Amino acid sequence: MDYEVIIGLEVHAELLTDSKIFCCCTTEFGGAPNTHCCPVCLGLPGVLPVTNEKVIELGVKAALALNCEISPYSKFDRKNYFYPDLPKAYQISQYDLPLARNGYLEIEVDGKTKKIGITRVHLEEDAGKLVHSETGSYSLVDYNRTGVPLIEIVTEPDLRSPAEAKIFLEKLKSILQYAEVSDCKMQEGSLRCDANVSIRPMGSKEFGTKTELKNMNSFKAVQKGLEYEVKRQKKLLERGKKIIQETRRWDENSNKTYTMRSKEEAHDYRYFPEPDLPPIVLEKGYIEEIRKTLPEMPYDRKKRYIEEYGLPEYDAGVITSSKALADFFEECVKEYVDAKTVSNWVMGELLGTLNAMDKEIDEIPLTPKHLADMLKLMDKGTISGKIAKKVFKEMMETGRTPDEIVEEKGLKQIADEGELSKIVDKVIADNPKSVEDYRAGKKKAIGYLVGQVMKETRGKANPQLVNKLLREKLES
Amino acid sequence: MKITKKDVEHVAMLARLYLDEEEKAKYTRQLNSILDYMEKLNQLDTEKVEPTSHVLPIKNVFRKDRVEESLANEEVLANAPDKENGYFKVPKIIED
């Protein structure tokens, strides 16, 4: 039987504030354990949390970027449960009156635009981090992350495949980065995703029993985890078995999901209004002020790149998928006008190497100006395209200027006819067989000879000039 | 009786309270009498009354996004029953 897959996501993103949501401790990632803590975030008796105004601002901004309606009145609630990463034994979150509701995000699936509903966006505090000891006999707790502001974004069950879920997450990440509300670094945990998934016979109106998936640490893991879960559920149904509503943990090593044996009661959070925090009342004027601060979103930027820079749609899409990458591109184009050439380098060498390094553009020392300067060196004929790739790699690794690298490594292109002529003569003398072939009509033999000249010059010879000299000498 | 002994056991479990049979019976009785008393509110017409989520007539109490010094690690751990390398040390958490 054919089944329809139904997926909804819950995404947590850390907001880009300097201080925590209810106290003045830093939100900086890392730091020695338990050094970013104070009586408020440790939940010591007698303290009073006070909301960071920037959290409201960024939360509203994120919600507006996701086309949500902002609630004129919202409040905080306590979500009660016992777990060592939660020092107060409750998390301050929002329950029945969230910051925003009824948004949507448009994604491209198979060339078609699809609207994915956003049920709600609410504010909450992050929990601490547990480190399990190697022997497994105890756990260690670091409360530095406790109280870092989060938004939780809940989608409607509108996603129809694990691949769609991945596309949605990529789009969401890029929107949150564009709006500058979160840096969305999955490896630092500033973007996290849980997924609800169920299947139903094609054409059926009723939802099947869903399972919740946790512990997926990358977008790829989300897709793989969901794919596994869909297969598992299909197998169960085909064997006439029932799906149990439960939370399952994705295990990256075995590529499987496992039941998390939490008791049913664990989900009874006994929410109640947080008495220490007064409600949040947002005026229309305030919301509109924030709306004005929303920057150009990926879709608009893509359109502009096509119109303003004449980029092909594909190029514009790839470059604007990440705000940092688009910013890099735009800075570079300010220094070097041929946008398509810049785009080729950004999409080719730059993205390729970044992927291989598993890094983001803002994690390497390369600057847009360096790329522009390097392209100018190519235009001037100082370096060849082949050498440029070497220089580019070096720039990505060290952040040094192309001039420095070319100078120090002696990479300057040999475009001096007299100098090259000597090398060409030597290659002709050393390779009588190829010379004979060429003169006998095998014109392709010239390729080998060009290669030999490049080898002699360690790639520095101007290829057009080498070709010209070889032809002249061979045909004379 | 609105609250049953089972409800009391459930709530006690969530709060990690360990009650003996006598206590369970007593709290079932007491909780019911509290709820009965609260029932009186239902005699009022609250049709046009907004639900109260906060008892004080204040709103939007915010602070600036400014970082101040946190506690030193030794102070953070001062009340910890057990610690290791700057961390709080707790019993193993069984998840799966």
Side-chain angles (χ1 to χ4, degrees):
Chain A
M1 194 182 335
D2 272 348
Y3 290 97
E4 186 178 27
V5 177
I6 313 281
I7 297 168
L9 300 175
E10 279 172 29
V11 180
H12 288 90
E14 283 183 5
L15 295 173
L16 278 173
T17 58
D18 294 330
S19 64
K20 292 187 178 179
I21 182 167
F22 301 122
C23 65
C24 294
C25 290
T26 178
T27 55
E28 205 178 308
F29 178 73
N34 298 303
T35 54
H36 300 165
C37 310
C38 74
V40 174
C41 54
L42 288 170
L44 298 186
V47 296
L48 188 69
V50 184
T51 309
N52 181 346
E53 62 181 8
K54 186 90 181 173
V55 170
I56 308 292
E57 183 192 318
L58 293 180
V60 168
K61 205 171 171 185
L64 288 174
L66 299 172
N67 308 298
C68 289
E69 297 160 16
I70 309 296
S71 314
Y73 183 102
S74 74
K75 67 172 171 78
F76 287 108
D77 300 277
R78 291 186 181 180
K79 178 181 181 177
N80 300 280
Y81 62 95
F82 291 105
Y83 204 70
D85 64 5
L86 199 62
K88 301 193 292 296
Y90 60 83
Q91 179 193 28
I92 302 179
S93 179
Q94 295 192 290
Y95 184 52
D96 55 333
L97 296 173
L99 184 73
R101 303 179 208 250
N102 296 334
Y104 65 88
L105 193 58
E106 284 178 337
I107 59 171
E108 306 278 322
V109 182
D110 301 327
K112 283 193 201 114
T113 302
K114 190 175 168 183
K115 227 180 203 180
I116 306 300
I118 308 276
T119 315
R120 57 187 274 156
V121 174
H122 74 246
L123 303 170
E124 62 185 28
E125 57 178 345
D126 208 346
K129 220 165 75 190
L130 280 179
V131 183
H132 301 289
S133 70
E134 270 171 41
T135 57
S137 55
Y138 58 89
S139 299
L140 299 172
V141 198
D142 175 8
Y143 289 123
N144 283 352
R145 205 178 64 186
T146 307
V148 167
L150 294 177
I151 42 170
E152 180 174 325
I153 299 155
V154 183
T155 77
E156 291 290 302
D158 287 345
L159 296 158
R160 288 292 171 269
S161 73
E164 255 182 60
K166 183 164 175 267
I167 293 171
F168 174 86
L169 284 171
E170 279 163 355
K171 185 72 187 278
L172 178 66
K173 176 180 168 181
S174 104
I175 295 266
L176 295 178
Q177 285 178 334
Y178 268 81
E180 289 172 334
V181 296
S182 175
D183 61 15
C184 297
K185 288 184 180 161
M186 272 197 119
Q187 66 277 20
E188 290 183 9
S190 62
L191 190 74
R192 305 194 284 274
C193 175
D194 299 333
N196 287 304
V197 55
S198 64
I199 58 172
R200 64 181 173 195
M202 213 43 114
S204 163
K205 285 268 176 287
E206 272 164 56
F207 287 122
T209 307
K210 67 180 179 186
T211 54
E212 185 182 357
L213 279 194
K214 284 184 182 288
N215 196 42
M216 298 163 296
N217 299 321
S218 65
F219 291 167
K220 224 182 188 169
V222 172
Q223 187 176 355
K224 273 163 70 183
L226 283 168
E227 278 165 1
Y228 175 85
E229 193 53 23
V230 167
K231 252 189 237 158
R232 192 189 68 89
Q233 292 188 7
K234 272 185 194 163
K235 248 189 223 161
L236 281 173
L237 290 187
E238 271 155 17
R239 288 189 195 142
K241 289 186 180 164
K242 277 210 164 109
I243 291 153
I244 305 161
Q245 179 159 357
E246 59 179 355
T247 303
R248 299 180 67 87
R249 186 177 60 86
W250 169 248
D251 184 81
E252 191 106 289
N253 298 317
S254 62
N255 281 327
K256 284 181 178 157
T257 63
Y258 295 94
T259 302
M260 286 171 84
R261 252 199 305 144
S262 40
K263 294 188 184 112
E264 282 165 51
E265 280 95 348
H267 284 293
D268 191 343
Y269 293 124
R270 295 149 294 146
Y271 283 97
F272 65 87
E274 166 59 91
D276 287 343
L277 293 163
I280 305 157
V281 179
L282 301 177
E283 308 289 340
K284 241 192 171 126
Y286 172 82
I287 296 165
E288 290 314 309
E289 278 308 305
I290 294 179
R291 197 190 298 276
K292 278 186 214 151
T293 68
L294 272 181
E296 186 186 34
M297 286 292 142
Y299 174 79
D300 301 310
R301 208 159 182 178
K302 179 180 165 187
K303 232 171 78 186
R304 181 163 65 80
Y305 281 12
I306 296 169
E307 286 162 11
E308 196 173 309
Y309 298 122
L311 287 190
E313 185 171 348
Y314 177 77
D315 290 37
V318 171
I319 290 171
T320 54
S321 66
S322 142
K323 177 170 188 291
L325 199 65
D327 286 345
F328 183 96
F329 168 80
E330 218 154 305
E331 278 304 306
C332 193
V333 172
K334 276 185 201 160
E335 300 271 336
Y336 186 84
V337 286
D338 182 357
K340 178 63 183 146
T341 300
V342 174
S343 159
N344 287 347
W345 278 86
V346 167
M347 296 204 310
E349 291 304 302
L350 182 56
L351 273 187
T353 315
L354 283 176
N355 284 341
M357 290 159 74
D358 199 17
K359 284 208 166 138
E360 305 274 342
I361 177 91
D362 47 6
E363 292 173 306
I364 59 161
L366 177 76
T367 71
K369 175 147 195 328
H370 291 169
L371 174 56
D373 288 347
M374 188 201 82
L375 295 175
K376 286 179 196 162
L377 288 180
M378 278 175 74
D379 286 352
K380 274 195 280 180
T382 312
I383 53 172
S384 65
K386 206 170 160 195
I387 292 292
K389 286 187 182 178
K390 268 191 203 169
V391 173
F392 190 70
K393 198 158 173 282
E394 179 88 16
M395 292 198 304
M396 282 184 75
E397 280 162 11
T398 64
R400 297 172 65 206
T401 69
D403 290 299
E404 271 170 16
I405 297 166
V406 169
E407 184 67 31
E408 187 193 285
K409 307 220 154 177
L411 296 174
K412 218 169 160 177
Q413 182 164 270
I414 305 169
D416 179 77
E417 213 171 310
E419 195 180 338
L420 267 188
S421 187
K422 276 183 230 153
I423 299 164
V424 169
D425 286 341
K426 180 175 177 289
V427 166
I428 288 176
D430 288 352
N431 298 280
K433 177 80 176 71
S434 300
V435 172
E436 205 177 298
D437 285 349
Y438 181 86
R439 288 187 173 139
K442 284 191 192 160
K443 298 290 174 198
K444 273 187 188 159
I446 198 165
Y448 177 78
L449 294 169
V450 171
Q452 291 306 302
V453 177
M454 291 315 251
K455 206 170 150 195
E456 286 285 325
T457 58
R458 289 187 297 127
K460 290 185 293 183
N462 178 320
Q464 286 83 25
L465 196 54
V466 173
N467 257 299
K468 178 177 154 260
L469 289 173
L470 269 172
R471 259 179 241 277
E472 282 171 10
K473 288 175 198 282
L474 290 171
E475 282 162 20
S476 64
Chain B
M1 287 267 205
K2 285 194 201 69
I3 301 271
T4 62
K5 187 178 140 198
K6 229 180 137 192
D7 294 325
V8 171
E9 284 169 346
H10 175 65
V11 172
M13 198 280 297
L14 290 171
R16 303 295 187 272
L17 292 173
Y18 301 95
L19 306 178
D20 61 29
E21 286 305 312
E22 205 181 309
E23 286 169 317
K24 284 178 198 169
K26 186 170 141 196
Y27 294 142
T28 307
R29 225 170 31 241
Q30 287 183 343
L31 282 169
N32 272 306
S33 88
I34 292 169
L35 281 187
D36 284 345
Y37 183 67
M38 297 302 285
E39 262 309 299
K40 285 191 177 172
L41 283 177
N42 280 344
Q43 294 168 11
L44 293 173
D45 178 11
T46 55
E47 187 74 19
K48 294 197 176 84
V49 180
E50 284 281 318
T52 305
S53 52
H54 204 273
V55 291
L56 298 174
I58 47 174
K59 58 179 189 191
N60 297 349
V61 178
F62 299 138
R63 43 165 265 270
K64 295 260 174 251
D65 181 25
R66 202 184 58 238
V67 175
E68 280 174 24
E69 211 167 320
S70 298
L71 294 177
N73 181 255
E74 305 78 61
E75 288 176 287
V76 172
L77 295 172
N79 294 320
D82 205 355
K83 54 195 159 192
E84 188 176 294
N85 299 329
Y87 290 93
F88 289 83
K89 190 169 170 182
V90 298
K92 185 194 171 192
I93 307 307
I94 304 151
E95 269 275 10
D96 46 7

